[in-house]
Amino acid sequence: MQNTANISYDSKIEGEVVVTRRETAVEWFRKNLVDTGANWGRKNSLWPMPMGLACCAIELMAAGASRFDISRFGAEVMRFSPRQSDVMIVAGTVTYKMALAVRRIYDQMAEPKWVIAMGACASTGGMYRSYAVLQGVDRILPVDVYVAGCPPRPEALLDALMKLQDKVASQPAFETLKKVA
């Protein structure tokens, strides 16, 4: 026969606080296992939205080829629909003419979403200090990871993807759900 009695703190010692072991176990499960499981799934299935705007896009394509194999990190599914993507990889020079379209596509992506700025042009405007070039995509989007180089090698993009995976794994999984609801 199982004992179904709740074991709790003595209210005479602890005041009026009564915490059962079951409540503590459920809270621990929700906090640790659910977040850990959801983050494991999210970090290993990031679906990129490639915004190839210049020469960095060639290196982005090379990262998906068999030599570098971005699929080892669960990001081989390049989605060209913002509603099916959760990582925008801005690769190349962002002009003011293109900035509005980049922002619109970012706004159409579902939460949670992340941004990788790939290359010197996407990060800082690169060598183009002109009136037509946006001096860093971080002026219109919140960037999570920057990739240095002109153009950066595919290995640098894979390193940025691993850093983003670490960031995703450390975030509370259901924090964004509370913001939306």
Side-chain angles (χ1 to χ4, degrees), residues 36-111:
T36 303
N39 283 339
W40 178 84
R42 287 193 325 186
K43 83 171 199 163
N44 290 313
S45 63
L46 295 173
W47 288 3
M49 170 71 198
M51 284 299 301
L53 302 171
C55 46
C56 290
I58 303 299
E59 300 299 320
L60 173 60
M61 289 181 240
S66 60
R67 182 172 182 181
F68 301 104
D69 196 21
I70 200 170
S71 64
R72 292 178 292 160
F73 305 100
E76 75 274 9
V77 183
M78 296 280 182
R79 294 293 180 176
F80 294 96
S81 170
R83 288 173 179 81
Q84 297 176 348
S85 303
D86 50 10
V87 179
M88 179 182 276
I89 302 175
V90 181
T93 310
V94 182
T95 61
Y96 282 105
K97 193 173 189 179
M98 233 6 236
L100 190 60
V102 171
R103 179 62 197 202
R104 185 178 305 128
I105 290 171
Y106 175 79
D107 288 340
Q108 290 175 356
M109 292 171 62
E111 290 287 338

Side-chain angles (χ1 to χ4, degrees), residues 87-173:
V87 179
M88 179 182 276
I89 302 175
V90 181
T93 310
V94 182
T95 61
Y96 282 105
K97 193 173 189 179
M98 233 6 236
L100 190 60
V102 171
R103 179 62 197 202
R104 185 178 305 128
I105 290 171
Y106 175 79
D107 288 340
Q108 290 175 356
M109 292 171 62
E111 290 287 338
K113 53 189 169 186
W114 301 276
V115 176
I116 296 175
M118 182 177 176
C121 293
S123 299
T124 64
M127 61 186 156
Y128 304 108
R129 302 280 183 245
S130 71
Y131 66 91
V133 176
L134 185 66
Q135 300 299 305
V137 75
D138 57 352
R139 295 182 183 224
I140 59 169
L141 303 177
V143 176
D144 295 295
V145 182
Y146 294 92
V147 182
C150 182
R153 298 271 308 141
E155 294 94 342
L157 177 60
L158 296 179
D159 182 58
L161 189 63
M162 287 188 286
K163 288 179 182 169
L164 184 61
Q165 285 179 331
D166 292 340
K167 184 175 184 175
V168 169
S170 65
Q171 290 179 343

Side-chain angles (χ1 to χ4, degrees), residues 1-7:
M1 181 172 176
Q2 293 181 344
N3 186 2
T4 59
N6 287 334
I7 298 172

Side-chain angles (χ1 to χ4, degrees), residues 27-39:
E27 179 63 26
W28 178 87
F29 177 77
R30 189 199 62 75
K31 190 181 231 181
N32 293 322
L33 294 181
V34 174
D35 277 352
T36 303
N39 283 339

Side-chain angles (χ1 to χ4, degrees), residues 2-18:
Q2 293 181 344
N3 186 2
T4 59
N6 287 334
I7 298 172
S8 61
Y9 293 109
D10 186 0
S11 62
K12 294 176 186 171
I13 297 172
E14 298 291 331
E16 295 300 318
V17 178
V18 176

